[in-house]
Amino acid sequence: MKLYLLIFLIANCSIVSKLNYCNALHLPEKSFFQLREEIIREERMMSFGSSLKLQGDEILANECLMATKRKELDEGFERPEHFLPSQNFLDVHSEIEKSEVFKIIRLMPKGAVFHAHLASLVSLDFIINNVTYIPNLHICYNGTKMRFRFLETPSSDCDWQLLKDLREKNPGINIKIQKHLTMLRISPAEYNIDVVWNKFQEIFAVIKGLVTYRPAFEIYFYQALQELYDDNVMYFEFRASLSKLYELNGTTYNPINVARIYQEMINRFTTNNPDFLGAKVIFSPQRGITQSIFDNYVKTYKEVKQAYPDFIIGFDLVGQEDRGNTLLNFAEKLIELGKDTPFFFHAGETNWYGHATDENLVDAVLLNTKRIGHGFALLKHPKLMQMVKEKNIVIELNPISNQVLDLVKDMRNHPASHFFAENYPIVVSNDDPSFWGASGLSYDFYEAFIGIMSREADLRALKQLAINSIKYSGMKPGEQKKAFKIWQEAWNRFTRYLAYSHKCVNNNQYFDTRWL
């Protein structure tokens, strides 16, 4: 009995402030340094990826990765003006490509992309050098705004000129086109959220004229899949409203036919690349629509869903939250739709607090969204944060998008640091990479890993991101099982290469491709 009492007293010596029996037993209290180490250790045990255990090649790969990461972070700490995630991606994207951490991340099998918009996925170079050289492309200007259309005969609604002829007269036209297809030209003096979003929407309008012509769309879409695949992404869920496609002869394709064209292109790509597992659509009209237009979109969604039940996986509303309708505007209709439809809502993509826009997060959670696109404002809502964790609602983090669209200037201040610290279900996506000079997913992984996560976040955190992207996808269980198998094989190759070939920070012999 005395032994049990002694064990009890020792176990409870931590509550020294209330009881004095520890001193009476002459048991040493924990020192400042012991308590400090305990706090740091417990925080690390709570963090994102901490439940994973590295084995075999992963251990050596992690040592290599972390040596490279700490070197870059130490240099940033000594010269903070050169720390890349603290600067706007528009200014430093070419410098990021020189980062050794970025080079490692680029080789990593990243799993899936969840949050991306099809019209903004293909690199600018490909659009300029390939899509704009497709025959019959015409260009016109409406004031300062550029528009494209594929035409056999120019129509009278604008002063349409054949781009091929215009190029012969003005070889520098490509530079002018580039300015209308990227946000890289916005000067810091102009930078505010409305200016950025207006430019953002203008680019969508320009690109629409290039990719709604069916032959151009097929080239564009195949390249979108190729760029993801080249960046070691194996699966893709994208937002789209299945806008009409057209032929030169005036033939148009309705949403059901557009879905069929999508699937044909995906099947062609997966046939050529069997370890790419395809793509699925989250049907996503613009949020700034009337009630009657919303009803039409719901009707379209149900028709396409019935025709392609495995391809259309859910519903969302997209566009600038601060200037569009809230979810509350359509709440009754969404409640009805949600009885048999998964939701993947954009919500909390705002800096406001307590505003109707900010409260989209409340409605998204109450409407049982599977995932939250962005969730930037979620940190301001402790009750919702609790519900998100309890309901296992996934946060789709888009770091570069949040920075370029003026929500956060320095990635170290991104609210997702808290989500990583407390191990929320989270994935990293790329949103609209081509608009800011990126392609694939690696740039966003880099910003999250170097700029948002802890200095001590390691290979486990990157691995957890990849696992989450399969685990929380819209794939069926059988598809997920296949995905995990293919991903694990690729992960093993990656970690073996990193463990035995990469020379880390000790010399300049990087990336011996014989190990790939």
Side-chain angles (χ1 to χ4, degrees):
M1 182 66 183
K2 289 181 180 179
L3 177 60
Y4 292 145
L5 178 59
L6 180 60
I7 293 172
F8 173 80
L9 291 174
I10 292 171
N12 287 276
C13 277
S14 60
I15 50 176
V16 177
S17 60
K18 294 183 180 179
L19 298 173
N20 294 316
Y21 52 69
C22 294
N23 289 335
L25 291 167
H26 304 293
L27 297 173
E29 295 179 27
K30 290 179 180 176
S31 71
F32 166 87
F33 298 101
Q34 288 174 318
L35 291 171
R36 184 179 187 276
E37 287 303 312
E38 275 191 15
I39 290 170
I40 292 172
R41 184 172 62 253
E42 287 184 21
E43 283 194 343
R44 289 179 183 173
M45 289 173 63
M46 293 166 57
S47 66
F48 188 81
S50 60
S51 63
L52 297 178
K53 184 174 177 60
L54 300 180
Q55 302 178 46
D57 293 340
E58 291 179 320
I59 296 171
L60 291 175
N62 188 50
E63 290 175 3
C64 175
L65 171 68
M66 292 306 290
T68 310
K69 177 180 180 178
R70 287 173 183 141
K71 181 176 184 288
E72 183 166 337
L73 288 172
D74 289 346
E75 290 171 351
F77 189 78
E78 292 301 318
R79 303 179 67 191
E81 70 276 13
H82 295 293
F83 184 57
L84 298 177
S86 71
Q87 303 173 62
N88 195 299
F89 182 81
L90 299 177
D91 300 322
V92 299
H93 70 288
S94 59
E95 292 301 311
I96 287 173
E97 292 169 0
K98 301 173 186 177
S99 160
E100 301 303 337
V101 175
F102 176 79
K103 292 174 184 177
I104 292 172
I105 287 174
R106 214 165 202 175
L107 291 173
M108 171 191 161
K110 288 170 277 291
V113 167
F114 280 175
H115 187 114
H117 302 269
L118 188 57
S120 51
L121 273 180
V122 173
S123 58
L124 183 59
D125 285 347
F126 184 88
I127 294 171
I128 297 294
N129 296 321
N130 292 273
V131 178
T132 68
Y133 282 83
I134 295 173
N136 296 302
L137 180 59
H138 288 68
I139 185 172
C140 85
Y141 292 91
N142 183 4
T144 61
K145 295 181 179 179
M146 179 182 288
R147 294 291 180 266
F148 291 103
R149 191 180 299 170
F150 289 88
L151 300 163
E152 277 188 317
T153 305
S155 58
S156 59
D157 61 330
C158 192
D159 183 21
W160 293 103
Q161 300 177 69
L162 187 65
L163 183 55
K164 180 177 180 294
D165 294 343
L166 200 58
R167 273 202 178 101
E168 293 175 0
K169 300 174 187 176
N170 179 12
I173 188 68
N174 281 0
I175 296 174
K176 203 166 188 178
I177 294 171
Q178 284 179 342
K179 291 181 179 180
H180 285 80
L181 288 173
T182 177
M183 300 182 75
L184 296 172
R185 307 292 177 177
I186 301 177
S187 70
E190 296 179 285
Y191 228 83
N192 69 67
I193 198 163
D194 284 336
V195 167
V196 172
W197 267 96
N198 287 339
K199 176 65 174 175
F200 192 57
Q201 299 293 359
E202 284 179 17
I203 300 173
F204 272 115
V206 176
I207 202 75
K208 184 177 181 180
L210 292 171
V211 301
T212 50
Y213 174 52
R214 195 268 312 159
F217 170 78
E218 292 186 354
I219 293 170
Y220 176 94
F221 187 41
Y222 194 94
Q223 179 65 17
L225 300 176
Q226 186 68 56
E227 290 185 13
L228 289 173
Y229 182 70
D230 290 344
D231 197 40
N232 293 296
V233 172
M234 63 186 298
Y235 170 74
F236 176 36
E237 292 179 5
F238 60 98
R239 265 77 168 182
S241 60
L242 304 178
S243 298
K244 288 181 179 178
L245 301 178
Y246 69 92
E247 303 278 5
L248 282 180
N249 62 9
T251 299
T252 59
Y253 299 93
N254 64 26
I256 290 179
N257 289 326
V258 170
R260 174 182 55 78
I261 292 170
Y262 279 9
Q263 285 214 303
E264 288 173 353
M265 296 304 300
I266 294 165
N267 291 340
R268 186 188 307 173
F269 190 86
T270 54
T271 298
N272 295 334
N273 305 279
D275 53 343
F276 188 82
L277 297 181
K280 297 181 189 289
V281 174
I282 299 169
F283 189 81
S284 306
Q286 288 285 324
R287 65 190 326 121
I289 54 179
T290 64
Q291 296 287 340
S292 60
I293 293 175
F294 178 86
D295 293 339
N296 288 334
Y297 272 120
V298 169
K299 181 174 179 289
T300 299
Y301 163 76
K302 290 181 176 179
E303 290 172 350
V304 182
K305 176 68 174 174
Q306 184 176 12
Y308 297 99
D310 295 333
F311 182 51
I312 311 298
I313 62 170
F315 190 91
D316 187 15
L317 292 167
V318 301
Q320 186 182 6
E321 285 187 75
D322 289 344
R323 294 288 179 263
N325 291 319
T326 64
L327 296 176
L328 187 61
N329 286 99
F330 306 108
E332 291 184 3
K333 295 174 181 179
L334 289 170
I335 290 169
E336 183 63 28
L337 181 61
K339 292 176 180 178
D340 54 12
T341 295
F343 291 137
F344 302 90
F345 286 129
H346 277 66
E349 191 184 5
T350 181
N351 271 326
W352 291 100
Y353 179 26
H355 192 274
T357 301
D358 179 43
E359 291 174 355
N360 273 330
L361 286 163
V362 178
D363 302 319
V365 171
L366 290 178
L367 289 164
N368 295 315
T369 190
K370 300 287 186 186
R371 306 195 300 252
I372 292 175
H374 297 286
F376 188 86
L378 184 61
L379 190 59
K380 301 168 185 175
H381 296 274
K383 178 61 179 178
L384 284 181
M385 288 177 63
Q386 179 186 341
M387 294 174 71
V388 163
K389 207 161 192 183
E390 289 173 352
K391 293 161 75 80
N392 218 26
I393 298 172
V394 179
I395 300 165
E396 299 171 343
L397 171 63
N398 302 275
I400 297 173
S401 175
N402 295 159
Q403 187 185 60
V404 173
L405 295 179
D406 207 34
L407 292 178
V408 63
K409 298 190 184 303
D410 184 332
M411 289 296 183
R412 293 171 297 180
N413 298 326
H414 198 292
S417 291
H418 181 83
F419 306 142
F420 285 123
E422 291 209 350
N423 196 20
Y424 274 72
I426 192 167
V427 294
V428 169
S429 286
N430 55 2
D431 207 11
D432 304 282
S434 71
F435 289 4
W436 34 83
S439 64
L441 187 56
S442 291
Y443 296 89
D444 285 275
F445 262 58
Y446 168 85
E447 295 279 11
F449 188 57
I450 293 291
I452 302 177
M453 292 183 189
S454 163
R455 171 189 171 87
E456 296 306 314
D458 60 13
L459 188 64
R460 293 173 300 166
L462 293 177
K463 184 177 183 180
Q464 189 69 67
L465 287 175
I467 290 171
N468 283 358
S469 74
I470 299 172
K471 177 181 178 181
Y472 297 114
S473 72
M475 289 188 279
K476 291 185 172 182
E479 293 172 322
Q480 286 190 352
K481 184 177 180 180
K482 179 181 178 182
F484 272 120
K485 183 177 184 297
I486 292 174
W487 173 81
Q488 186 65 62
E489 291 170 353
W491 180 261
N492 292 343
R493 291 194 299 271
F494 163 69
T495 53
R496 187 180 311 118
Y497 162 70
L498 198 56
Y500 298 112
S501 175
H502 188 77
K503 305 304 181 184
C504 290
V505 295
N506 296 322
N507 58 50
N508 295 320
Q509 299 175 32
Y510 288 92
F511 305 130
D512 182 348
T513 54
R514 290 173 299 174
W515 288 89
L516 293 178

